Amino acid sequence: MAEFYDKESVRAPMSQRLQRFEPPSDTQAIGALVSVTIDGKELKVPLGTTILEASKKVGVRIPTLCYHEDLCVAGVCRICVVEVEGQPRLQASCAYPITAPIKVKTHTRQVRQARRHILDLLLSKHYGECYACFRNNNCELQALAKEYGVDFFRFGHPEKPRYRIDRSSPSVIRDMDKCILCRRCVRTCIDLQEVGVLEVNQRSNRSKVITFGEKPLGDVICINCGQCINRCPTGALRANDPTDDVWAAIDDPTKHVVIQTAPSPRAGIGECFGLEPGVPLTFEMNTALRRCGFDKVFDTNFSADLTIIEEGTELLQRLHKALVQKDKMVRFPQFTSCSPGWVKFCEHFYPEFLDHLSSAKSPQQMFGAVIKTYYAKLNDLDPKNIVTVALMPCSAKKFECNRPEMCDSGYKDIDYGLTTRELAQMISEAGIYLPAMPKSDFDDPFGTATGSGVIFGATGGVMEAALRTVIELVCGIQVEDLFAHADITPVRGFDGIRFMELPIKKVGPVPELLKGLFEDWDWLVGATLKVAVAHGTANAKRVMEDIKAGGPCSECHFIEFMACPGGCLGGGGQPIPTSPEIRAARARAIYAEDAAYEVRKSHENPAIVRLYTEFLTEGPCSHLSHHLLHTAYTPRGKYIV
Amino acid sequence: MLVSEREQLRENIEQWVAQYGSDRSALIPVLQEVQRKYHHISEYVMQVVADTLNIHPVEVYGVVSFYSFIGLRPKGRFIIRLCRTISCAMQGNNRIARQLENDLGIHFGETTPDGNFTLEWANCLGMCDRGPAMLVNDRIFTQVTPESVHEILDECRKAFGAHTFQGEETCPL
């Protein structure tokens, strides 16, 4: 199992790893540390450290474009060039591993001129006006142009678009006129996510970022995770923006516009207003949303709790079928189905495993179905006049809400999916400075949520929430008895793949909620529940291959998959930029919010209890809940005909 | 494409992959084999190759579009590539170009309507001392004159009638 924890193995394929410096095996002879002087500041760094990494340590800033902390080195943009004493040419600092003592100068005349020259050349092919671009003020190219004092276009500037904007995908829009060929999206798609939608074709001045066969993005095998958007330095990639439609719904007096907000955007939206990453603005956002004109503001955590109940019951049902009824058709491990990027990934690359996916819908879609049925009845509203908006950290959610099967309420369960960035835009448009808003709570009847719902935003959160509920419902004990403060730490963290085993030593009585489905838990005594967590589709792929090969993952009962690195908090709809530190800060915000909740377990959520007594009276995984809260998947395959 | 043709294609590719190894470094040799046999790389081929080498189809597409000797679309049976670099230009390749265009009735970058000839420019063929140089499929012709263009094309045309192709894989020139 050790190879799963090996950080190298969960990243770029062989071809990319060769670009990294392999430190000599006998470091004693050469000395493991090497001294380097950067702009007169001397320091010692481990062999193989790049000049760029070393310069960060002494606080020297070197500009970068194609370099990204999450991605392997490309060294294509050359903006990070520096002068290395004794070398005739400038060197790209991001791709220069230090193997001998060197002296580096980062802003000599030659360097400054080269950088300015590169910028001028990039701008000579970059079509687009900054004030008509969604990345205005958040664009790395624009920032560099300012930094290097670009005040005219030395090599001209395109006056007409050369490419047609590709709007075929429901999630991601591609505008190649703004592309500077840094290949961050290519490395994201091929190496980080291992989906393989984008690549560079042709040579030299004809090269361009393309999809397979230069087909529209909507027709190729894209899982809509939007990681490329988060890493694009310019506005070449962006999410499909429905804010105009949302405003139109708000302005229409006949429409009852309801918004649900997911946990991750709260931890990230502050970044759009200039705050440090990791400042949660949950309750400020509620006020701002009401001022924008939304009629009701609900918490997706409610339906996250609902998902836990449904998905957890499904797991128990599967276990019951396998252990008691000896049903050979039951598939293990069960996979989570909350991440629409992962679901589409599975449909494309592992269609033979669709039976493993939990049939439970994602929290977003469950909420939509509940709002247009239960909530409509409760408030005597016509569901056709209800507009459901979902604030998500995700671009794949836009695809999910447009899936044809997601209409179980008789209407489109969720009408519009908004990303964190788009909501920040709407809030600014309403003249609101979010951090200064007074705090207010969510609306009833779904106002109360639990800490379990909040942690859905971080990788391992779904698993932790499910375990909290399953332990209590089955074992009849408090989670706190097993884990301090109910923090199930083995599933937390940012390791690519994490395992946990939970032996069930004793069982309690079957709770009221599940009485219709199970008579007792005696059949679970002595069993060991094995679970795993994977984030990022590259890790998901590793888990799937391991299951195919019959490795440790195939022995698990339940596996949580998240398409994006870090889980939803690193989603494709979150504020740009992203980095491991930013994601860690957002995770801290999410876990802090969890710890602050009084109720931290899904099954204790009073709103959930009420829903099952008033509406879904037959209990979880019943006929009605299957109709509204569960779905089926499409085997898509990876061939494009 | 018929299902049986696809199966045949897949079988061929799997054979070549077994021959060159299932590593991504086998990509170019496999593509060259496909090119030799089928004269172009179809989208289906790219997906099968990607699948068997465990890489992404778009990576194969990127490689195919990078090399001019591997083509996305079928070209003529005889691909004539005239060198356009400086020493051949100084030795009068423009006369050869005019002669070729005249004889074939097509411009550079085009294929004759009967699908026999494709005319293309090539960069240095390494025959700078004996220019103008020209490549017909895999065979090189040096010190080409307008007259010899005539003869070379005639030879190609004759090749169709008598013994067309020796098998499918090799062509007479």
Side-chain angles (χ1 to χ4, degrees), chain A residues 280-302:
Chain A
L281 293 174
T282 315
F283 301 105
E284 288 85 349
M285 207 164 73
N286 290 345
T287 317
L289 287 168
R290 289 194 188 95
R291 289 203 188 167
C292 282
F294 288 99
D295 294 303
K296 291 282 176 193
V297 182
F298 293 139
D299 191 345
T300 308
N301 291 348
F302 161 77

Side-chain angles (χ1 to χ4, degrees), chain B residues 71-115:
Chain B
L72 283 166
R73 269 163 285 281
K75 289 178 185 167
R77 278 176 171 175
F78 295 97
I79 302 172
I80 300 173
R81 295 181 171 99
L82 183 64
C83 181
R84 64 168 161 194
T85 33
I86 189 155
S87 29
C88 286
M90 287 171 74
Q91 292 170 90
N93 75 347
N94 56 341
R95 292 168 64 219
I96 313 298
R98 268 204 304 277
Q99 185 68 37
L100 280 165
E101 285 184 330
N102 228 341
D103 278 13
L104 296 171
I106 52 171
H107 293 293
F108 277 81
E110 292 177 357
T111 302
T112 51
D114 57 6

Side-chain angles (χ1 to χ4, degrees), chain A residues 23-57:
Chain A
S25 50
D26 185 13
T27 45
Q28 289 279 299
I30 309 169
L33 291 176
V34 60
S35 76
V36 49
T37 313
I38 298 171
D39 290 347
K41 290 170 192 154
E42 202 180 330
L43 80 157
K44 284 197 184 304
V45 291
L47 263 163
T49 310
T50 62
I51 296 178
L52 186 66
E53 285 161 356
S55 72
K56 276 182 192 160
K57 285 185 191 163

Side-chain angles (χ1 to χ4, degrees), chain A residues 95-171:
Chain A
Y96 190 106
I98 303 166
T99 53
I102 48 167
K103 285 194 174 127
V104 178
K105 286 181 188 149
T106 67
H107 52 80
T108 59
R109 184 182 149 80
Q110 203 191 353
V111 169
R112 289 195 317 269
Q113 272 185 347
R115 287 181 187 158
R116 173 72 193 269
H117 208 82
I118 289 162
L119 280 171
D120 283 333
L121 283 169
L122 285 174
L123 291 169
S124 75
K125 285 282 166 100
H126 179 81
Y127 170 79
E129 298 302 335
C130 288
Y131 35 77
C133 178
F134 96 109
R135 289 292 293 274
N136 192 1
N137 263 341
N138 184 20
C139 169
E140 293 178 39
L141 183 65
Q142 192 188 38
L144 279 177
K146 182 176 179 334
E147 222 169 278
Y148 283 84
V150 173
D151 48 4
F152 73 107
F153 297 116
R154 189 181 301 175
F155 303 117
H157 190 59
E159 281 170 7
K160 276 185 190 150
R162 292 176 297 157
Y163 305 108
R164 195 176 285 173
I165 297 175
D166 180 0
R167 296 175 192 276
S168 59
S169 160
S171 295

Side-chain angles (χ1 to χ4, degrees), chain A residues 22 49 64 143 146 154 196 225 272 297 354 370 388 458 475 505 560 609 630:
Chain A
E22 298 275 334
T49 310
T64 53
K146 182 176 179 334
R154 189 181 301 175
C225 67
C272 295
V297 182
L354 289 183
V370 169
T388 45
C475 302
K505 289 182 189 124
E560 179 204 299
V609 176
H630 290 251

Side-chain angles (χ1 to χ4, degrees), chain A residues 184-200:
Chain A
R184 274 195 200 169
C185 55
V186 171
R187 282 174 284 152
T188 304
C189 203
I190 292 183
D191 298 331
L192 186 69
Q193 291 291 72
E194 295 195 18
V195 179
V197 173
L198 302 171
E199 177 58 290
V200 176

Side-chain angles (χ1 to χ4, degrees), chain B residues 37-107:
Chain B
K37 180 149 182 175
Y38 296 96
H39 308 293
H40 77 291
I41 313 283
S42 68
E43 283 189 358
Y44 179 72
V45 167
M46 288 190 267
Q47 295 184 67
V48 175
V49 170
D51 205 4
T52 44
L53 293 180
N54 202 15
I55 54 177
H56 303 292
V58 73
E59 291 179 276
V60 181
Y61 184 82
V63 169
V64 170
S65 67
F66 186 92
Y67 291 105
S68 38
F69 278 58
I70 302 175
L72 283 166
R73 269 163 285 281
K75 289 178 185 167
R77 278 176 171 175
F78 295 97
I79 302 172
I80 300 173
R81 295 181 171 99
L82 183 64
C83 181
R84 64 168 161 194
T85 33
I86 189 155
S87 29
C88 286
M90 287 171 74
Q91 292 170 90
N93 75 347
N94 56 341
R95 292 168 64 219
I96 313 298
R98 268 204 304 277
Q99 185 68 37
L100 280 165
E101 285 184 330
N102 228 341
D103 278 13
L104 296 171
I106 52 171
H107 293 293

